[in-house]
Amino acid sequence: MTPLSLPRLKLPLGVQNLREIREGGHYYVDKSGMAVDLVEAGKYYFLSRPRRFGKSLLVDTLKELFEGNQALFTGLAAESRWDWSKPHPVIRISFSSGSGPQGRLLAQRIRENLRVNRVALGLPLPAGLPEEDLAGNFADLIRQAHQSRGERAVVLVDEYDKPMLDHLTDPAVAQTQRDMLSELYGTLKDCDEHLRFVFLTGVSKFSKVSLFSGLNNLTDITLDARWSALCGYTDEDIDTVFAPELPGLDRDEIRRWYNGYNWLGTGVYNPYDVLNLFQKRVFGAYWFETGTPSFLVRLLAERKVFLPRLQALHTSLALLSSFDVDRITPEALLFQAGYLTIHDVRQPVLGKWMYTLGYPNREVEASLNEVLLPEYGVPGDAEAQERLTLILQRGVLDELETLIRSLFASIPADWYRSNPLAGFEGHYASVFYSHFAALGLDVRVEDATSHGRIDMAVLYAGRVFLFEFKVVDRQATGAALQQIKARGYADKYRARGEPIHLVGIEFGRVERNVVGFEVETVAAA
C-alpha cells in the first residue's frame, strides 16, 4: 500500500494523551524511539519549547513507557527496545492551570499535584509533616514511591514555568512564584538515590542561577542537535504519516507557512498549525492566534526594537539564556516563545558562539508584524492592505507613494508626544517594513549583494521591488535612489527575468512623513 493510498485517520488536534491517540484511531508521529534514546543517555533533563509543540504528549509518552504499558507501543520504535518487565512509579506534575490571581493559588496547586500522585500510587499521607512544607512533602512522596514499588521513581514536570510566565507583568509576584518553585525543584537533587529519571519541560528557559540553583545536575537539551525534533513534525513526518491529508493542498505553501523551527538540528513544523490546516483545509495563523502575549508586544515597543532587524538578529548564547523575571531581553523572549528561531550559528572567536535568529515561517512573520503595527502608531486598515497588494501586482508605484504618505499621516500627533518610539529613526523603516511583512509577502531585509546591502527587497507577482530608506531633516536629497543605482543593487536580480523597480524613499524628521519618493524601473534581462 503506497502512502497516498493509506486511509485517513482522526486528527489528534488538542489530544495530549498517548492512550487516546493510540486506541482512538488517530494519526501518531512516533517519538518513542527518541524517548528511549533520551532515557538511555542520561537521568536529569530540561527541555524548553514554544507552546502547543507537543511537550505534554512527550511527557505522557515517557509516563506510559516507565509505567510499562507495552500494548500502547505495539509497532512503534520503543516496543523492542524497552524493558517492559520493570515498571517504575511515575510522579507527574503539571502547572497548566497556573497559579491564580496574584499567584495566590500556587501552594494550593502544588499540594493538589502531590495529593493526586499519592492517590494514583496508593500511598498514605506523610506522618508528622505539615502540609505547608511543600518541599518536604514532595521529597516524602518520592521516597515512598520508591520504597512501595521497589523501583526508583520517575518525576515528570510539565509547564514547570507557567506560574511565573502568567505574572511577568508583575515582577514582584513572579519572583515569589519563582522562589517557591525553586525550593520545590531543589528537592530533586536531595532525592537522587530514589530517582530513576527526571524530566522538566516548559516554554521558557529560566536561568539556572535563579530557578535551578539547587539542581545543578540538570542537563539542558534545548539546544542539543540530537533532540531538535523531539517535539514537532519533520518534513518526512508530513510526507509519510500525514500523506492522506496532502491532496488538494500546496506542499510548498505548507512549508512556507508552518515549517522552519530549528534548535541546531532537524527542522520541524508546529503540530498545532499543521493539524488545523488538515482539518480546515485553509491556511491561517492558527498557532499565533491562540495566545500572543500583549506583554511581548509592549516590550518590543518599549525597547525600541528595529522591526526589520528581526529577520536576521545576531545574538550570543548568553543573551538567549538570560531569562528571568527581573531581566528579560527581547531576544530571549522572542526565541523561547517561538517567534524567532535559529537560522545560523558560527564561532567567530574561539569558545564564543554567535547565533543568527529569524522568523521561522510566513505565519509568524506576517502575524507578529500585524499586531505590532498599532504599537508603532498605525491603526489596523484591511482596506489599505488590500490596496497595497493590488498596487504591487500592477506595479503602479505612484499610487504606492500616495498610500505610504497616507499611512504615516494616519499616525495621530498624540502618539508622537506620548510614545517611547517617537523620535526613533528606525520607526519609519519599521512601519514601512511591517506593513509589507503583515501581508505575508516575500520580504528580504538587509539583502546582501556584492556591492552592499539593500535595505529591503520585496518579491511579488512576477516583480522585484528594491527599497532604500533615508531620514533627512527637511528636504529630499535624492540620495536614496542614487545609492541603489550607484551600488548596482539590481544586478543580483537581473537573472530572474522580471521587471525590477528601484524605489528611493526619504522621510522627514519634522514632517514625520515621506518627503522624497523616487522610482526607476529596470527592464527584465
Side-chain angles (χ1 to χ4, degrees):
M1 183 179 290
T2 65
L4 288 179
S5 64
L6 291 172
R8 294 181 70 176
L9 304 177
K10 296 179 183 178
L11 294 166
L13 190 58
V15 183
Q16 302 172 352
N17 180 281
L18 181 66
R19 181 176 297 277
E20 183 178 349
I21 289 176
R22 295 288 286 159
E23 295 179 349
H26 295 80
Y27 290 106
Y28 177 63
V29 173
D30 187 5
K31 302 288 184 179
S32 68
M34 294 185 73
V36 174
D37 292 338
L38 190 68
V39 174
E40 292 178 345
K43 180 175 179 179
Y44 291 88
Y45 289 108
F46 168 78
L47 175 71
S48 167
R49 286 293 184 268
R51 58 191 166 81
R52 296 188 178 274
F53 244 89
K55 300 186 297 296
S56 295
L57 179 57
L58 174 63
V59 167
D60 196 65
T61 302
L62 289 166
K63 170 184 174 292
E64 299 291 359
L65 275 174
F66 278 109
E67 288 184 342
N69 295 315
Q70 183 176 3
L72 296 180
F73 295 87
T74 301
L76 301 184
E79 183 183 17
S80 60
R81 297 182 54 197
W82 191 259
D83 184 358
W84 302 103
S85 66
K86 294 182 179 180
H88 290 260
V90 176
I91 299 169
R92 181 174 181 176
I93 294 175
S94 174
F95 291 109
S96 60
S97 56
S99 59
Q102 287 76 55
R104 290 192 295 264
L105 300 180
L106 179 56
Q108 181 178 321
R109 297 277 191 261
I110 295 173
R111 284 194 292 271
E112 179 64 11
N113 267 290
L114 299 182
R115 186 194 67 78
V116 167
N117 279 281
R118 283 189 181 279
V119 171
L121 294 170
L123 300 176
L125 291 173
L129 272 177
E131 68 172 8
E132 291 78 15
D133 184 0
L134 301 175
N137 277 274
F138 188 28
D140 183 82
L141 171 60
I142 294 170
R143 286 191 293 268
Q144 283 197 39
H146 180 194
Q147 292 164 4
S148 68
R149 299 297 178 90
E151 294 290 345
R152 288 176 295 162
V154 171
V155 174
L156 307 174
V157 183
D158 193 12
E159 300 200 58
Y160 87 102
D161 53 348
K162 194 170 188 298
M164 294 167 289
L165 295 182
D166 285 349
H167 301 285
L168 282 182
T169 55
D170 191 339
V173 173
Q175 287 171 11
T176 300
Q177 310 289 284
R178 179 195 64 191
D179 294 344
M180 188 181 301
L181 290 171
S182 179
E183 183 180 3
L184 184 75
Y185 299 143
T187 303
L188 294 168
K189 186 176 182 180
D190 295 333
C191 294
D192 181 68
E193 64 181 299
H194 302 289
L195 290 168
R196 168 64 180 87
F197 185 79
V198 174
F199 185 77
L200 292 87
T201 185
V203 169
S204 60
K205 179 185 172 185
F206 278 79
S207 68
K208 285 188 177 182
V209 174
S210 68
L211 191 60
F212 300 125
S213 57
L215 191 58
N216 54 14
N217 55 344
L218 196 63
T219 300
D220 181 2
I221 60 171
T222 300
L223 291 179
D224 189 323
R226 294 172 295 175
W227 316 114
S228 185
L230 190 57
C231 294
Y233 298 156
T234 66
D235 250 326
E236 184 181 0
D237 295 331
I238 301 297
D239 290 332
T240 55
V241 177
F242 295 103
E245 302 295 327
L246 294 177
L249 294 171
D250 187 322
R251 185 67 180 87
D252 290 332
E253 279 296 289
I254 298 175
R255 288 191 183 92
R256 282 191 287 268
W257 270 81
Y258 305 126
N259 195 15
Y261 294 92
N262 193 287
W263 289 274
L264 300 181
T266 304
V268 293
Y269 294 71
N270 182 299
Y272 186 78
D273 273 325
V274 171
L275 295 175
N276 269 283
L277 170 67
F278 291 154
Q279 181 187 69
K280 299 172 182 175
R281 317 301 292 179
V282 174
F283 289 92
Y286 301 114
W287 172 80
F288 191 91
E289 291 170 353
T290 60
T292 298
S294 57
F295 169 73
L296 169 63
V297 175
R298 289 197 305 271
L299 179 69
L300 294 177
E302 290 169 0
R303 302 288 176 89
K304 299 183 179 180
V305 173
F306 181 49
L307 298 183
R309 181 170 166 250
L310 297 183
Q311 269 203 357
L313 181 64
H314 303 291
T315 187
S316 66
L317 180 61
L319 278 179
L320 287 184
S321 305
S322 61
F323 190 92
D324 203 355
V325 295
D326 53 1
R327 189 181 67 256
I328 301 174
T329 64
E331 296 93 335
L333 185 58
L334 285 164
F335 171 65
Q336 294 179 26
Y339 300 101
L340 297 180
T341 194
I342 296 174
H343 284 186
D344 185 44
V345 59
R346 57 191 177 89
Q347 191 178 26
V349 180
L350 187 63
K352 299 288 186 181
W353 292 94
M354 184 63 66
Y355 297 85
T356 300
L357 306 180
Y359 296 109
N361 49 46
R362 178 174 295 176
E363 177 205 15
V364 176
E365 181 173 19
S367 301
L368 184 59
N369 278 280
E370 186 167 13
V371 300
L372 282 169
L373 275 171
E375 291 294 327
Y376 283 70
V378 182
D381 188 343
E383 184 178 345
Q385 289 184 325
E386 183 180 10
R387 284 175 55 205
L388 175 57
T389 303
L390 293 173
I391 287 169
L392 295 178
Q393 287 175 349
R394 294 159 49 211
V396 186
L397 295 185
D398 56 337
E399 293 183 19
L400 176 62
E401 178 182 4
T402 302
L403 179 64
I404 297 303
R405 288 184 185 276
S406 175
L407 173 69
F408 282 94
S410 70
I411 301 176
D414 285 345
W415 182 90
Y416 285 100
R417 285 194 289 269
S418 60
N419 199 282
L421 289 168
F424 169 47
E425 288 194 7
H427 167 253
Y428 304 102
S430 290
V431 169
F432 192 91
Y433 156 75
S434 290
H435 209 63
F436 282 76
L439 294 173
L441 304 179
D442 186 352
V443 181
R444 305 176 184 185
V445 175
E446 293 291 320
D447 195 20
T449 74
S450 58
H451 309 295
R453 292 182 179 274
I454 307 168
D455 278 350
M456 189 172 109
V458 178
L459 281 60
Y460 182 63
R463 301 175 185 273
V464 177
F465 303 86
L466 305 182
F467 296 93
E468 185 69 27
F469 309 116
K470 299 290 182 185
V471 178
V472 297
D473 290 328
R474 279 187 175 276
Q475 294 184 338
T477 64
L481 179 61
Q482 181 57 35
Q483 180 170 319
I484 300 176
K485 296 165 61 177
R487 297 188 180 181
Y489 287 160
D491 295 346
K492 178 176 181 176
Y493 293 97
R494 290 183 187 276
R496 294 176 63 91
E498 300 171 341
I500 304 173
H501 304 284
L502 317 180
V503 186
I505 302 177
E506 294 173 87
F507 299 99
R509 289 191 181 91
V510 177
E511 287 80 0
R512 296 170 179 163
N513 208 320
V514 176
V515 295
F517 191 99
E518 295 183 293
V519 177
E520 189 170 308
T521 299
V522 179

